[in-house]
Amino acid sequence: MVGREEVAYAIDACRERDAAEAGYIERYKSGEAPIQVSNLALILEAKGLTVDQ
C-alpha cells in the first residue's frame, strides 16, 4: 500500500520504470543481447567468466 503522501513519488517511479523497460525492449529488438543491455559482461569477466558475442 502506498500512503497518500507518497502517491506522486510512486507514480513517477512507475513511469520511469516503464520508460526504462521500453528502452530495454527496443535494444533487444535491435539485436542486443541481455548481457549487453544489462551491462553484465564486465561483472561476469571479473568473476573469470567469458562472454561469447
Side-chain angles (χ1 to χ4, degrees):
M1 182 151 84
V2 176
R4 183 173 292 182
E5 65 280 353
E6 297 174 330
V7 170
Y9 171 79
I11 290 170
D12 289 341
C14 289
R15 288 182 177 147
E16 287 176 16
R17 181 177 176 130
D18 283 347
E21 288 179 2
Y24 299 146
I25 290 169
E26 288 304 314
R27 290 177 67 185
Y28 295 140
K29 286 180 181 178
S30 73
E32 287 187 68
I35 288 176
Q36 293 168 314
V37 174
S38 300
N39 296 317
L40 292 175
L42 293 176
I43 294 168
L44 295 172
E45 289 172 5
K47 294 183 179 284
L49 303 169
T50 60
V51 177
D52 293 333
Q53 305 272 337

